[in-house]
Amino acid sequence: MLGQGFVSAAAIAASVLFILSLGGLSNQEKAKRAVWYGIVGMAVAVFFTAFGPGIGAYWLMIPMILIGSAIGWVVAKRVAMTEMPQLVAALHSFVGLAAVFVAWSADLERMRVAAAKAAGASMEGFSAFAALVATKAPDELTFLQIEVVFAIFIGAVTFTGSVVAFGKLAGKVDGKPRQLPGGHKLNAGAAALSLLLAILYLNGAGFWTLLVLAALSFFIGWHLIMGIGGADMPVVVSMLNSYSGWAAAAIGFTLSNDLLIVTGALVGSSGAILSYIMCKAMNRNFVSVILGGFGGSKGPAAEIEGEQVAIDAAGVASSLNNADSVIIVPGYGMAVAQAQNAVSELVRKLRAAGKEVRFAIHPVAGRLPGHMNVLLAEARVPYDIVMEMDEINDDFPSTDVAIVIGSNDIVNPAAQEDPNSPIAGMPVLEVWKSRVVFVCKRGQGTGYSGIENPLFFKENTRMLYGDARESIDSLLSHID
């Protein structure tokens, strides 16, 4: 058993490591080291918490840690990079559900202590948390109950919301926005009832209020995320990440665990900031997105004229061989086809021929922030040719060839040209301003978000249909 001094010191050390980890993840070159900071920080946190004062039942805890670690290892090894967004959503759901269970347990312990005190019974044999509760003054117990309410509400919303987000990202749930009759009024009504139940609970109504509160919160999380379309799922995943952090922080206050408070606050605040940045990059209203797309559609989208003109790999290679400058725009289609290594080889051959090749990365490319950056880093693409949208967008007019690999919304000119488009006003990569654009795409569908793209019908656009990896492999054989 470790003393409280060791545990407090470990909490400070783990908190510093978590901060270093978050800071390092903002830079591709430092990201790998930053991940290790997070791993070590979590290992320190788990070890010193598990063996701190007042902790017992190791016969149950240690097997659970080992089993959970083994499951996590197997899942992480099996999950492909394309499935990482839904894995993140699934992990958020675990945090939310854990917060609900801990909050329920905390209130049951509070009631058990109150009953023991009323009966004049000894506190011997009670848990360390119960002993802590027994020392609290009435006003402190009220704050404990408030923390329990917050943990249950946020945790339950996070759980069911994350389950729905997982389903939509994995294709197991329809990506279109769907709500029950009444729409946002149902969410508002459930939220109002939740507030009423919280007031009743704080005035001594009993444990049943927490059970009903959790049920209502489960409904809100489910209905809220069901009402958000697939195009907004990257923001939703980021926001649910924030919710899971605040749920953890609330439980940290309940358990008087400083490390859980710090960690939850870091996750909660960083997730909220990232969600805001992503909404700005998509010209989405932050509050509108997190409330289930409140506001509705703007009107019928503009009709698209023309036709999609196909081209083969030999035709694309001919243009590339004659080009001096090339910009590649990767999207989720590249991830699905696992074409990043073939793309990396294409870049190597083009650069060896003396051509300027760069990547243009939109802030919400893929289904998770940084999705494309990770794939390109995995394929050993040099960091210095991977450019953010603001750095490279002005260069398209002077570019000979733009290659779009599995992207749709982030290169859609309707964002600028059609005020009724669902993505109107969204900053996009202006690939159509290049001399010629080649779009690598499976077929003529509208993609995950279901939004038609006028880029595919422009006179300077040619469509290279087929699996992205197979198309790029075929293209490689024609490059000089």
Side-chain angles (χ1 to χ4, degrees), residues 24 46 69-70 82 98 135 164 175 184 197 221 229 231 248 257 297 303 348 353 388 392 411 418 442 468 473:
V46 171
S69 299
T82 53
T135 64
V164 174
H184 298 290
L197 286 165
N257 188 308
S297 60
E303 293 291 332
R348 188 193 64 77
E388 299 297 325
I392 200 169
V411 293
D418 181 7
R442 283 184 180 271
D473 283 338

Side-chain angles (χ1 to χ4, degrees), residues 118-416:
S122 169
M123 296 297 297
E124 185 178 352
F126 278 59
S127 68
F129 175 73
L132 176 66
V133 170
T135 64
K136 290 182 179 291
D139 57 337
E140 292 177 313
L141 288 174
T142 300
F143 276 108
L144 173 65
Q145 290 178 284
I146 293 173
E147 292 156 10
V148 164
V149 168
F150 273 108
I152 291 175
F153 181 79
I154 301 173
V157 169
T158 302
F159 172 67
T160 48
S162 297
V163 170
V164 174
F166 168 84
K168 290 196 173 190
L169 290 168
K172 300 180 184 298
V173 177
D174 190 349
K176 295 180 180 179
R178 298 191 183 279
Q179 291 183 325
L180 296 175
H184 298 290
K185 292 180 181 179
L186 282 177
N187 295 336
L193 283 175
S194 297
L195 178 60
L196 176 61
L197 286 165
I199 293 172
L200 291 174
Y201 164 70
L202 293 173
N203 284 277
F207 186 74
W208 67 269
T209 55
L210 296 183
L211 296 176
V212 180
L213 172 64
L216 286 170
S217 303
F218 284 141
F219 168 78
I220 292 172
W222 171 79
H223 196 236
L224 198 65
I225 307 305
M226 282 295 294
I228 301 177
D232 288 325
M233 274 304 111
V235 182
V236 170
V237 172
S238 178
M239 200 63 230
L240 289 169
N241 178 45
S242 178
Y243 292 168
S244 70
W246 297 125
I251 288 302
F253 281 108
T254 301
L255 301 178
S256 297
N257 188 308
D258 295 337
L259 182 56
L260 202 52
I261 295 171
V262 172
T263 305
L266 284 172
V267 173
S269 57
S270 61
I273 292 169
L274 180 58
S275 299
Y276 174 77
I277 292 172
M278 293 175 67
C279 282
K280 187 176 180 181
M282 298 169 69
N283 194 39
R284 294 285 202 272
N285 181 280
F286 181 70
V287 176
S288 173
V289 170
I290 64 176
L291 290 181
F294 186 86
S297 60
K298 302 178 181 180
E303 293 291 332
I304 299 177
E305 298 180 354
E307 62 179 353
Q308 298 183 22
V309 181
I311 194 172
D312 59 15
V316 177
S318 176
S319 291
L320 287 173
N321 287 329
N322 293 323
D324 292 320
S325 58
V326 179
I327 295 179
I328 301 174
V329 180
Y332 188 67
M334 185 183 78
V336 171
Q338 298 184 24
Q340 61 269 25
N341 290 308
V343 171
S344 178
E345 178 61 18
L346 174 64
V347 171
R348 188 193 64 77
K349 293 189 73 170
L350 291 175
R351 295 184 79 193
K355 305 179 189 302
E356 180 187 33
V357 184
R358 292 174 295 168
F359 286 85
I361 307 296
H362 193 280
V364 295
R367 293 189 182 174
L368 200 67
H371 199 170
M372 298 301 104
N373 302 76
V374 173
L375 287 176
L376 296 176
E378 180 186 40
R380 301 188 180 279
V381 171
Y383 299 136
D384 60 339
I385 65 171
V386 180
M387 319 295 288
E388 299 297 325
M389 179 176 65
D390 294 339
E391 299 177 291
I392 200 169
N393 226 8
D394 292 338
D395 295 347
F396 282 108
S398 59
T399 299
D400 295 322
V401 175
I403 304 176
V404 178
I405 306 176
S407 293
N408 188 10
D409 296 348
I410 63 172
V411 293
N412 193 333
Q416 298 180 359

Side-chain angles (χ1 to χ4, degrees), residues 62-100:
I62 292 177
M64 291 298 99
I65 290 176
L66 293 175
I67 292 170
S69 299
I71 293 173
W73 177 272
V74 171
V75 170
K77 294 289 285 185
R78 289 184 177 180
V79 170
M81 189 60 211
T82 53
E83 299 171 328
M84 195 59 65
Q86 48 262 49
L87 174 62
V88 172
L91 294 176
H92 292 164
S93 72
F94 296 155
V95 177
L97 192 59
V100 173

Side-chain angles (χ1 to χ4, degrees), residues 17-18 20-22 25 30-44 73:
L17 287 168
F18 291 149
L20 290 173
S21 179
L22 280 176
L25 290 174
K30 298 177 181 177
K32 190 172 183 178
R33 182 171 57 190
V35 170
W36 276 108
Y37 286 146
I39 292 172
V40 173
M42 186 55 67
V44 169
W73 177 272

